[in-house]
């Protein structure tokens, strides 16, 4: 499911065991995904899109400066 759901788990009723399992799986997948991959999907087919230019590149450059000190 992509996009904003009509209702979120726990809204109007208790979270079902199936919803809890799905949430844990999504959390695991998100934790296992590399940031570079996420940035690429946010930018779409643009190689140097806004997420890569304004978010990822700046954080990466600062982290490399920090590591080299």
């Amino acid at each position: 499911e992509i996009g904003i759901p009509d209702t979120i788990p726990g809204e109007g009723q208790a979270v079902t065991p199936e919803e809890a399992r799905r949430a844990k799986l999504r959390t695991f997948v998100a934790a296992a995904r590399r940031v570079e991959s996420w940035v690429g999907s946010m930018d779409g087919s643009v190689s140097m899109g806004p997420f890569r230019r304004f978010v990822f590149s700046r954080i990466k450059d600062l982290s490399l400066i920090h590591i080299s000190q």
Side-chain angles (χ1 to χ4, degrees), residues 16-54:
T16 65
E18 176 65 25
E19 291 170 335
R21 280 192 297 276
R22 286 183 185 180
K24 287 180 183 179
L25 178 63
R26 283 193 299 265
T27 300
F28 174 75
V29 170
R33 189 173 188 184
R34 292 183 56 103
V35 176
E36 292 88 342
S37 173
W38 175 81
V39 170
S41 69
M42 295 301 289
D43 282 338
S45 62
V46 180
S47 64
M48 194 63 168
F51 276 91
R52 190 166 306 275
R53 276 185 296 164
F54 299 120

Side-chain angles (χ1 to χ4, degrees), residues 36 52 55-67:
E36 292 88 342
R52 190 166 306 275
V55 179
F56 178 71
S57 294
R58 292 179 184 195
I59 293 172
K60 182 181 175 187
D61 293 344
L62 291 172
S63 68
L64 292 174
I65 290 169
H66 178 73
I67 291 171

